[in-house]
Amino acid sequence: EDQVTQSPEALRLQEGESSSLNCSYTVSGLRGLFWYRQDPGKGPEFLFTLYSAGEEKEKERLKATLTKKESFLHITAPKPEDSATYLCAVPQGAQKLVFGQGTRLTINP
Amino acid sequence: GAVVSQHPSWVICKSGTSVKIECRSLDFQATTMFWYRQFPKQSLMLMATSNEGSKATYEQGVEKDKFLINHASLTLSTLTVTSAHPEDSSFYICSANPLDSRTYEQYFGPGTRLTVT
């Protein structure tokens, strides 16, 4: 069965302190890996799609990378407004997405 | 682009009544829409996949007679929670996959907070 595991569950950083979030997956034939950001009380916001090992995508202070077994979301010099839950997901079956449990990121000023 | 709206954003209803939640794709057409439920500090739980013009596909354990889904057009899907009970209180989120998309990307609505008293 396809599985997605995110770590850590929660991460607290000081403003400007760079770090990485991990998303490990086990799927038969990857058809994309998706990263979303979710703020409390809101729906997830699409960030990135990665399709093949070695691929990287960037958006502001975020950079997503992909290997054959996992993806990392690197956050460089984060600001308090980067605080959110970050979710990764992979397709399952014809249309569905399987989500990880998310990483709750808190950036302290 | 790829904006999805939900209405209402929050609703309070009495136990035993029914509540309808609308999900609209505003700037694209979507053959497929999805309904999720989310409990506090938990991830998204897929309830059902809704395809325009056909019956929804429900996930295991989701009562189809309780959570009625209608996808009447390429821009609108509705979720009706029938005979709501306090345990149905939750955050309901819809998403949509663009009709002309060659990927599995889903774009999410802002969510609807349902409280059943």
Side-chain angles (χ1 to χ4, degrees):
Chain A
E1 184 177 309
D2 298 339
Q3 284 194 325
V4 180
T5 304
Q6 291 187 246
S7 62
E9 286 187 17
L11 180 62
R12 192 177 293 269
L13 301 171
Q14 288 298 122
E15 183 173 2
E17 181 184 1
S18 301
S19 188
S20 297
L21 314 182
N22 178 265
C23 172
S24 297
Y25 61 90
T26 54
V27 296
S28 51
L30 184 66
R31 292 168 289 157
L33 185 140
F34 305 90
W35 281 99
Y36 289 86
R37 168 191 171 131
Q38 185 176 25
D39 291 301
K42 296 187 178 180
E45 173 191 349
F46 173 75
L47 293 174
F48 304 111
T49 306
L50 301 168
Y51 288 103
S52 56
E55 187 175 0
E56 298 184 352
K57 287 192 176 174
E58 291 188 59
K59 181 180 180 179
E60 296 181 355
R61 294 175 292 282
L62 300 175
K63 182 170 78 172
T65 62
L66 182 66
T67 72
K68 289 185 177 180
K69 294 184 178 180
E70 57 193 349
S71 177
F72 292 94
L73 185 64
H74 308 276
I75 182 161
T76 303
K79 298 181 178 181
E81 54 262 41
D82 295 321
S83 297
T85 295
Y86 291 86
L87 299 163
C88 69
V90 297
Q92 182 181 63
Q95 298 170 311
K96 299 190 298 185
L97 290 180
V98 176
F99 282 87
Q101 289 301 307
T103 294
R104 292 193 307 279
L105 177 65
T106 304
I107 309 298
N108 294 317
Chain B
V3 179
V4 177
S5 71
Q6 278 184 246
H7 178 78
S9 55
W10 60 269
V11 57
I12 301 173
C13 70
K14 292 188 175 182
S15 187
T17 62
S18 296
V19 174
K20 180 185 284 188
I21 302 170
E22 290 187 350
C23 176
R24 294 181 184 271
S25 55
L26 298 184
D27 54 0
F28 65 97
Q29 292 182 321
T31 305
T32 306
M33 290 184 170
F34 305 83
W35 287 95
Y36 294 83
R37 186 172 180 176
Q38 189 174 37
F39 293 103
K41 296 189 176 181
Q42 293 189 22
S43 191
L44 303 169
M45 183 189 81
L46 180 65
M47 299 174 65
T49 301
S50 167
N51 288 294
E52 186 265 337
S54 63
K55 291 184 178 180
T57 302
Y58 291 82
E59 294 299 300
Q60 191 173 9
V62 177
E63 299 176 60
K64 63 178 67 175
D65 294 331
K66 180 168 191 59
F67 299 100
L68 300 179
I69 292 172
N70 183 272
H71 193 158
S73 77
L74 290 174
T75 59
L76 174 64
S77 177
T78 61
L79 168 68
T80 301
V81 183
T82 63
S83 187
H85 289 95
E87 56 265 31
D88 299 324
S89 298
S90 190
F91 192 51
Y92 293 88
I93 312 173
C94 72
S95 70
N97 180 250
L99 179 63
D100 57 357
S101 172
R102 298 180 181 179
T103 75
Y104 297 88
E105 292 167 6
Q106 293 179 22
Y107 297 92
F108 287 82
T112 297
R113 174 77 57 194
L114 170 64
T115 302
V116 184
T117 61

